[in-house]
């Protein structure tokens, strides 16, 4: 939750502010900081248009039911109601979905999950719209929901495409190998909600040409436009998506099923239509992290070296496939973690159920398996009588090692160095048993039954994620850099979701052209596509496109000078706004040479291709990898089961630090999100029905829950295939910190912690 960085407690001394932040490596402040502070940031919920109508959506109260009839007559007769749309208004029954396109805009024959949209209403007042939506009469035949993913294999088909979304049987090495020491475990990971900051909202405005403009906090505007055009029966050029301010995103920010009814209502009424979702609607509509069941068996020799890993991984995709195929590929590929495993046999499935939909959430797939394989490493260390950190070091992956998918790790992989850094960092002091320090105990003041019941534990987590898309995804982005009157403008459809892209784009142009004033244009679909904002894509692909375009403009700027002095442009350099030659003969300013000129260039960045995993789970599926090690220190009240995370020490390979302040914020935010996964965040369901879909029933970590975060080491070993050599930084702390917290709770209690979030009873020591 990148925009929550301000709530975190960090023990890292902030670097001295750069008096003139400029270019790569400087802590240039975020471009939207002032607007958000002053309340002028353009959130979609604040949009307005003349003649505005308000929308409301009717959602299913059942997780599984057959629709016998839909009667909109009563709603249409209500004063102020302008239109009601259902599946009959969708062009040719078009479907939508982020990954797999298998999800109807409105349920027509069958309801497949609690909260699935049935109809949408436009009215002249929001209260009227909500009452009209409630007045749509739907007759259901309630069906038994399939809520256990293990039952999905035998249950009748919940979807025309069947219940099995994907099966990956990864096979690597010799299946007959057996280790001298064997440990087994079964693990469950709960359903995390991305809980986006700010209301999910949107505005649709009809166009004179019969098209429509959608104003959305979209993280992938071109995909949203194309899907909307198919649903509306329009050509893509008649649908425009304008990206409003995105409050922050740790997943797909906007549910397409929320966006699409807006355009249908605007086209039907000829009026602008706005919809602002309630928090309950957000919980019911958008995707969540996949609940996962994992079974593991680790084999090792007497010295603790891993010999073989066997695992079964079952992802609950909910009602629709979305990006479950991608999540499964990551889970299976990284099921052994950043360790050398010569023999691996991993079987993974993603299945449909009648549970809430699952999809892309930061670190999908990798987070679930990290919690499981790190639990296995703790079990193995205990059985061998080894220090948990030492066992991990004996198996740590390095550059040149081979993943279970058969892909050689060619990027920097300093796993051992990261782990040693957090292991050797000084431990925090023990809290004093004095009344004024009661707040330091688990549960806060009066939260601990007895200070003598508090036990301290130290645990480790080592995680990895892939960057960019995988398995043949065409990762490409386009950017244009224009310079006029000494001001540079960047045009790129990369959406700023809190990852710092707009700031990075400014830094790149400053670094390349020596221009202080750099503007980044707002995003809409009139610009070429830059793809979705996830997995560090925009730092790598969109940042790479901006760099290439800026270098082309640089060449245009320097060529006349180079020609005049009879030298190549490579012999000229731009530093601090000055252009100088290698021999000192030429010295002028960028401002002077740009006077009266207008320069521009457009460029693309496309990383090297990848390939899909084959029938044995083998293939070069990933462009790059990022690694992180975290040491967690926790205090546990072993009588009440309450847990306080005292400190998380982090070491990460970042390739290159592009903006120190933003990097620290991304790391702190990712770690704190992981603490929520470990201890509090679980969207609970009862027979497919979401229980307490609000921020009271769903417990996000607050500033009081955030631990001290010690960034003890950042390894800047540049990835040669990445622009600037930088790696994605936000996802891997999210993946790693839950495993580290669980490891520390195990160390404190001696209990087997095999479920996230950790329930109090799992942290209680038997008397």
């Amino acid at each position: 939750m990148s925009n929550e960085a301000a709530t975190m407690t960090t023990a890292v001394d902030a670097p001295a502010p750069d008096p003139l932040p400029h270019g790569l490596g400087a802590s240039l402040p975020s471009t939207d900081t002032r607007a958000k502070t002053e309340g002028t940031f353009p959130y979609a919920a604040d949009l307005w248009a003349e003649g505005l109508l308000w929308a409301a959506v009717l959602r299913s109260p059942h997780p599984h039911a057959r629709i016998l009839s839909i009667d909109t007559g009563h709603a249409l007769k209500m004063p102020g109601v302008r239109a009601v749309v259902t599946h009959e208004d969708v062009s040719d029954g078009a479907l939508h979905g982020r990954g797999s396109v298998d999800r109807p805009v409105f349920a027509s024959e069958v309801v497949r999950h609690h909260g699935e949209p049935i109809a949408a209403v436009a009215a002249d007042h929001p209260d009227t719209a909500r009452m009209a939506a409630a007045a749509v009469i739907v007759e259901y035949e309630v069906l038994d929901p399939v809520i256990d993913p293990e039952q999905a294999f035998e249950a009748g088909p919940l979807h025309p495409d069947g219940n099995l979304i994907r099966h990956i049987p990864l096979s690597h090495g010799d299946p007959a190998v057996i280790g001298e020491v064997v440990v087994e475990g079964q693990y469950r990971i709960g359903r995390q909600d991305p809980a986006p900051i700010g209301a999910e909202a949107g505005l649709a405005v009809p166009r004179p040409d019969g098209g429509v403009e959608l104003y959305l906090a979209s993280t992938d505007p071109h995909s949203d436009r194309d899907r909307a055009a198919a649903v509306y029966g329009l050509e893509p050029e008649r649908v425009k998506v304008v990206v409003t301010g995105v409050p922050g995103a740790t997943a797909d920010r906007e549910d397409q099923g929320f966006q699409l009814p807006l355009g249908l209502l605007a086209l039907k009424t000829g009026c602008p239509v706005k919809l602002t979702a309630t928090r309950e609607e957000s919980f019911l509509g958008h995707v969540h992290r996949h609940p996962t069941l994992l079974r593991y068996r680790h084999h090792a020799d007497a010295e603790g070296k891993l010999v073989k890993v066997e695992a079964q991984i079952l992802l609950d995709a909910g009602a629709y496939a979305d990006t479950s195929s991608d999540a499964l590929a990551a889970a299976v590929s990284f099921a052994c973690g950043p360790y050398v495993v010569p023999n691996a046999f991993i079987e993974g499935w993603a299945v449909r159920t009648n549970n809430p939909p699952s999809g892309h959430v930061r670190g999908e797939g990798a987070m679930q398996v990290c919690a499981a394989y790190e639990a296995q490493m703790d079990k193995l260390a205990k059985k061998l009588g080894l220090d948990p950190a030492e066992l991990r070091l004996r198996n740590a992956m390095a550059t040149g090692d081979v993943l279970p998918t058969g892909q050689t790790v060619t990027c920097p992989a300093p796993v051992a160095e990261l782990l040693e850094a957090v292991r050797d960092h000084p431990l925090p002091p023990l809290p004093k048993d004095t009344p004024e320090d009661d707040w330091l105990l688990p549960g806060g003041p009066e939260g601990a039954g007895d200070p003598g019941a508090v036990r301290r534990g130290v645990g480790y987590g080592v995680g990895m994620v892939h960057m960019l898309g995988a398995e043949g995804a065409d990762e490409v982005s386009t950017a244009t850099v224009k310079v006029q009157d000494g001001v540079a403008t960047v045009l790129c459809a990369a959406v700023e979701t809190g990852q710092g892209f707009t700031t990075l784009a400014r830094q790149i142009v400053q670094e390349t052209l020596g221009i202080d004033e750099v503007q980044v244009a707002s995003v809409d679909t009139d610009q070429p596509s830059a793809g979705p904002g996830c997995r560090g894509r925009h730092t790598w692909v969109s940042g790479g496109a901006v760099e290439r375009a800026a270098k082309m403009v640089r060449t245009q700027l320097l060529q006349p000078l180079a020609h005049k002095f009879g030298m190549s442009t490579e012999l000229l350099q731009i530093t601090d706004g000055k252009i100088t030659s290698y021999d000192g003969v030429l010295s002028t300013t960028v401002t002077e040479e740009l006077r009266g000129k207008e320069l521009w260039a457009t460029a693309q960045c496309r990383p090297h291709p990848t390939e899909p995993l084959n029938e044995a789970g083998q293939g070069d599926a990933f462009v790059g990898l990022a690694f992180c090690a975290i040491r967690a220190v926790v205090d546990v009240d072993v009588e009440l089961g309450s847990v306080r995370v005292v400190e998380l020490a982090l070491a990460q390979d970042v390739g290159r630090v592009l903006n120190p302040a933003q990097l620290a914020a991304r790391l702190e935010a990712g770690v704190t999100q992981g603490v929520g996964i470990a201890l509090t965040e679980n969207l609970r369901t009862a027979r497919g029905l979401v229980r307490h879909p609000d921020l009271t029933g769903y417990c996000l970590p607050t500033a009081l829950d955030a631990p001290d975060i010690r960034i003890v080491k950042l390894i800047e070993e540049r990835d040669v295939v990445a622009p600037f050599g930088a790696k994605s930084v936000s996802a891997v702390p999210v993946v790693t910190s839950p495993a580290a917290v669980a490891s520390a709770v195990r160390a404190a209690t001696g209990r087997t912690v095999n479920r996230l979030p950790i329930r109090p009873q799992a942290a209680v020591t038997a008397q």
Side-chain angles (χ1 to χ4, degrees):
M1 304 166 191
S2 53
N3 284 29
E4 292 183 352
T7 68
M8 299 169 203
T9 302
T10 176
V12 180
D13 293 332
D18 189 339
L20 292 173
H22 189 104
L24 296 174
S27 290
L28 197 67
S30 175
T31 56
D32 57 16
T33 299
R34 182 167 183 173
K36 288 180 177 178
T37 303
E38 295 178 345
T40 59
F41 190 69
Y43 293 112
D46 299 326
L47 296 177
W48 187 265
E50 189 67 29
L52 183 70
L53 300 178
W54 298 85
V57 176
L58 173 68
R59 297 178 179 273
S60 168
H62 309 292
H64 195 202
R66 185 172 291 108
I67 296 175
L68 303 179
S69 65
I70 302 174
D71 182 0
T72 62
H74 294 282
L76 286 168
K77 292 177 182 178
M78 294 178 64
V81 173
R82 300 286 296 274
V84 180
V85 292
T86 66
H87 66 277
E88 295 178 349
D89 297 280
V90 176
S91 177
D92 297 326
L95 305 174
H96 70 95
R98 288 291 181 192
S100 299
V101 180
D102 67 344
R103 192 172 179 176
V105 180
F106 298 110
S108 58
E109 298 178 354
V110 179
V111 167
R112 298 187 176 93
H113 71 90
H114 180 206
E116 184 162 15
I118 306 294
V121 175
D124 56 11
H125 191 278
D127 289 343
T128 304
R130 285 190 286 268
M131 288 188 292
V136 175
I137 300 173
V138 184
E139 186 180 357
Y140 299 99
E141 178 190 344
V142 178
L143 305 174
D144 289 333
V146 176
I147 58 173
D148 184 345
E150 292 188 282
Q151 295 176 353
F153 294 100
E154 304 297 331
L158 303 176
H159 189 278
D161 295 339
N163 295 349
L164 179 63
I165 295 169
R166 189 176 187 184
H167 174 218
I168 303 177
L170 184 149
S171 178
H172 179 78
D174 183 0
V177 171
I178 297 176
E180 297 175 70
V181 181
V182 179
V183 295
E184 300 185 19
Q186 178 171 296
Y187 307 93
R188 290 186 182 273
I189 310 299
R191 180 179 289 102
Q192 187 200 18
D193 189 272
I197 303 169
E200 293 180 87
L203 172 68
V205 180
R207 298 182 358 173
D209 65 357
V212 66
E213 292 186 359
L214 300 172
Y215 294 80
L216 307 167
S218 171
T219 57
D220 190 1
H222 288 81
S223 174
D224 288 345
R225 176 203 62 187
D226 294 346
R227 189 48 41 202
V231 167
Y232 305 154
L234 298 173
E235 300 82 6
E237 56 270 19
R238 293 174 64 192
V239 178
K240 180 178 179 179
V241 173
V242 180
V243 178
T244 63
V246 179
T250 60
D252 291 326
R253 182 58 175 79
E254 297 282 350
D255 168 29
Q256 285 184 318
F258 163 84
Q259 304 166 0
L260 296 171
L262 279 171
L264 289 172
L265 290 168
L267 290 168
K268 192 163 187 175
T269 61
C271 299
V273 180
K274 179 178 177 179
L275 175 61
T276 301
T278 64
R279 181 58 67 175
E280 178 179 349
E281 287 180 305
S282 290
F283 273 111
L284 296 178
H286 60 218
V287 297
H288 313 84
R289 190 181 299 281
H290 292 79
T292 308
L293 172 65
L294 310 102
R295 296 186 176 96
Y296 267 81
R297 182 183 295 122
H298 274 55
H299 299 249
D301 63 19
E303 301 301 316
K305 294 293 292 291
L306 292 173
V307 173
K308 183 172 69 172
V309 172
E310 301 170 278
Q312 294 179 334
I313 303 166
L314 179 58
L315 302 186
D316 181 355
Y320 298 104
D322 206 86
T323 57
S324 297
S325 179
D326 297 340
L328 184 67
V332 169
S333 300
F334 305 143
C336 300
Y339 303 115
V340 178
V341 179
N343 305 285
F345 300 89
I346 317 295
E347 198 156 14
W349 302 267
V351 297
R352 290 183 175 88
T353 64
N354 293 121
N355 289 321
S358 303
H360 169 66
V361 181
R362 183 185 288 167
E364 74 274 18
M367 179 261 131
Q368 292 92 322
V369 296
C370 182
Y373 65 66
E374 288 296 77
Q376 287 288 101
M377 296 299 278
D378 282 344
K379 282 187 177 182
L380 195 56
K382 184 176 182 179
K383 194 165 186 177
L384 289 166
L386 290 174
D387 177 78
E390 176 59 29
L391 175 70
R392 288 166 168 83
L393 285 169
R394 293 184 184 185
N395 293 281
M397 178 183 291
T399 304
D401 287 328
V402 178
L403 295 174
T405 60
Q407 180 172 346
T408 300
V409 178
T410 57
C411 66
V415 178
E417 188 176 351
L418 297 172
L419 186 53
E420 288 170 345
V422 297
R423 180 197 62 184
D424 297 340
H425 186 71
L427 288 166
L430 292 168
K432 298 176 183 178
D433 186 14
T434 57
E436 58 266 28
D437 289 330
D438 278 354
W439 67 274
L440 291 173
L441 297 172
E446 302 180 3
D450 178 4
V454 176
R455 303 285 184 270
R456 173 155 289 188
V458 178
Y460 296 90
V462 188
M464 62 191 297
V465 298
H466 69 93
M467 296 175 288
L468 313 184
E471 294 194 274
D474 184 19
E475 294 288 4
V476 62
S477 183
T478 304
T480 298
V481 174
K482 294 182 178 181
V483 180
Q484 186 175 14
D485 298 328
V487 177
T489 302
V490 177
L491 293 92
C492 182
V495 178
E496 173 61 67
T497 63
Q499 84 280 38
F501 172 75
T502 55
T503 307
L504 173 62
R506 291 168 58 208
Q507 291 178 273
I508 293 168
V509 175
Q510 288 175 343
E511 178 96 351
T512 307
L513 298 177
I515 297 174
D516 285 324
E517 190 172 350
V518 182
Q519 302 171 350
V520 180
S522 56
V523 175
D524 59 47
T525 49
D526 287 344
Q527 303 167 17
S529 175
C534 59
R535 306 185 189 94
R537 286 190 69 265
H538 289 325
T539 298
W540 184 318
V541 186
S542 297
V546 171
E547 181 191 40
R548 292 181 183 185
K551 285 183 175 179
M552 293 166 68
V553 172
R554 182 181 185 277
T555 300
Q556 295 173 26
L557 173 65
L558 297 181
Q559 271 181 340
L561 285 171
H563 180 73
K564 179 179 179 180
F565 286 86
M567 61 181 69
S568 69
T569 57
E570 286 75 16
L571 299 178
L572 301 177
Q573 63 180 6
I574 298 176
T575 306
D576 296 329
K578 295 180 180 180
I579 303 174
T580 56
S581 61
Y582 74 102
D583 55 8
V585 173
L586 170 63
S587 180
T588 184
T589 65
V590 172
T591 302
E592 178 66 26
E593 294 306 314
L594 283 174
R595 185 171 290 118
K597 294 180 181 178
E598 180 178 346
L599 308 175
W600 68 274
T602 298
Q604 283 190 336
C605 179
R606 177 180 270 115
H608 65 81
T610 57
E611 62 187 26
L613 298 175
N614 64 20
E615 63 279 358
Q618 302 295 292
D620 290 346
F622 307 109
V623 176
L625 303 170
F627 304 89
C628 174
I630 293 178
R631 185 195 67 194
V633 178
V634 304
D635 284 342
V636 182
D637 185 322
V638 296
E639 292 180 348
L640 300 178
S642 53
V643 178
R644 172 177 174 256
V645 182
V646 177
E647 178 189 276
L648 291 170
L650 174 146
Q652 188 166 322
D653 79 309
V654 297
R656 179 185 177 188
V657 177
L658 303 177
N659 186 313
Q662 288 202 10
L663 174 66
R666 300 290 84 76
L667 296 179
E668 293 169 353
V671 166
T672 304
Q673 184 181 1
V675 170
I677 298 169
L679 298 179
T680 63
E681 295 189 48
N682 186 24
L683 188 66
R684 294 173 294 166
T685 60
R687 289 190 55 77
L689 294 172
V690 178
R691 299 175 59 190
H692 310 296
D694 52 54
L695 293 180
T696 301
Y698 186 82
C699 298
L700 290 171
T702 69
L704 295 178
D705 300 302
D708 285 345
I709 300 171
R710 307 267 179 177
I711 303 175
V712 301
K713 190 165 192 175
L714 300 176
I715 297 179
E716 294 190 69
E717 185 178 350
R718 299 189 182 185
D719 190 337
V720 296
V721 301
F724 336 112
K727 290 190 174 187
S728 171
V729 299
S730 297
V732 67
V734 179
V735 165
T736 310
S737 53
V741 171
S743 176
V745 173
R746 277 190 288 271
T749 64
R751 297 289 300 272
T752 298
V753 177
N754 58 3
R755 184 188 293 261
L756 295 182
I758 301 169
R759 297 180 294 182
Q761 55 266 41
V764 174
T765 300
Q767 300 300 314

